[in-house]
Amino acid sequence: MSEVLSIIGIIIVVVGGIFLLIETFRESILWGIGCILISPISLLFIVLHWDVSKKPVVIQIVGLIIMFFGASLASNV
């Protein structure tokens, strides 16, 4: 059960990351390329464009919570 939760959490985090990348390219091609090449640019994009990036960030946070919950179940066994 813990492995399944961890895998589901990882999938949700990846989907949120792809969704965030799509939003960066919708804003500008330069934002998208910058986020692919330089990771901290994504954080800058999130701060500057919170109205656009709120949903993908929340999706990633939910995925992280599920992933950590699965990992904590595995450590308690």
Side-chain angles (χ1 to χ4, degrees), residues 8-76:
I8 289 172
I10 291 170
I11 291 170
I12 292 172
V13 169
V14 168
V15 167
I18 291 171
F19 188 32
L20 180 64
L21 195 59
I22 289 169
E23 292 299 327
T24 60
F25 274 105
R26 281 186 183 168
E27 188 66 33
S28 166
I29 189 85
L30 293 176
W31 274 114
I33 292 172
C35 287
I36 289 174
L37 296 178
I38 306 168
S39 251
I41 299 291
S42 297
L43 294 174
L44 183 63
F45 179 82
I46 290 169
V47 170
L48 294 176
H49 300 281
W50 178 246
D51 55 327
V52 175
S53 62
K54 181 179 5 179
K55 191 173 181 179
V57 170
V58 170
I59 291 171
Q60 288 182 322
I61 291 171
V62 168
L64 282 172
I65 291 169
I66 293 171
M67 188 173 59
F68 286 131
F69 182 68
S72 70
L73 284 178
S75 66
N76 290 334

